[in-house]
Amino acid sequence: KEACVWTSGTMSKKRRNGGRNKHGRGHTTFIRCDNCGRSVPKDKAIKRFQVRNMVEAGCQRDMREASVYETYTLPKLYMKLQYCVSCAIHSRVVRVRSRTARKIRDPPPRFRGPRPGDKPAGGAGAAAAAKK
């Protein structure tokens, strides 16, 4: 039997970092995925920081009216979410990118929603005013 000979000197790599952020370290600690509980290396896990209001939007106005203090800001809930790759793709935290798009390393643009005091641009009111 003949031995299989690899003609090219190096194997192809899908990602420059091998899907990890471990450069120079031999071992990293494992964490648990927040969704499924899978054990994932800390440097490989997809991490997102989620900031939410402790009180839902419907109750905020009621609490503001019932409060004795005029300028009381409700506390926020700060959560660091850590996902395994499978759960992050399944819940659309990250998307599958093409071979050329994988090379783009800069973060995607951030889109911020409208502020509470802003008037909606366009909408049904603007369309009705334009007809008159």
Side-chain angles (χ1 to χ4, degrees), residues 92-105:
R92 298 192 187 112
V93 174
V94 290
R95 303 278 168 107
V96 176
R97 297 193 291 171
S98 66
R99 185 176 288 183
T100 54
R102 268 183 236 138
K103 305 271 186 241
I104 302 167
R105 300 187 71 219

Side-chain angles (χ1 to χ4, degrees), residues 55-126:
V55 183
E56 58 192 36
C59 297
Q60 277 185 3
R61 199 189 74 208
D62 298 337
M63 287 184 73
R64 223 179 287 122
E65 289 171 357
S67 177
V68 177
Y69 305 105
E70 290 180 20
T71 56
Y72 178 73
T73 54
L74 289 166
K76 291 185 181 284
L77 199 62
Y78 297 93
M79 293 186 294
K80 185 174 185 181
L81 302 172
Q82 297 173 324
Y83 298 102
C84 65
V85 176
S86 307
C87 289
I89 291 170
H90 183 72
S91 59
R92 298 192 187 112
V93 174
V94 290
R95 303 278 168 107
V96 176
R97 297 193 291 171
S98 66
R99 185 176 288 183
T100 54
R102 268 183 236 138
K103 305 271 186 241
I104 302 167
R105 300 187 71 219
D106 52 320
R110 287 188 171 183
F111 298 108
R112 301 204 109 191
R115 292 192 186 113
D118 291 347
K119 292 181 182 176

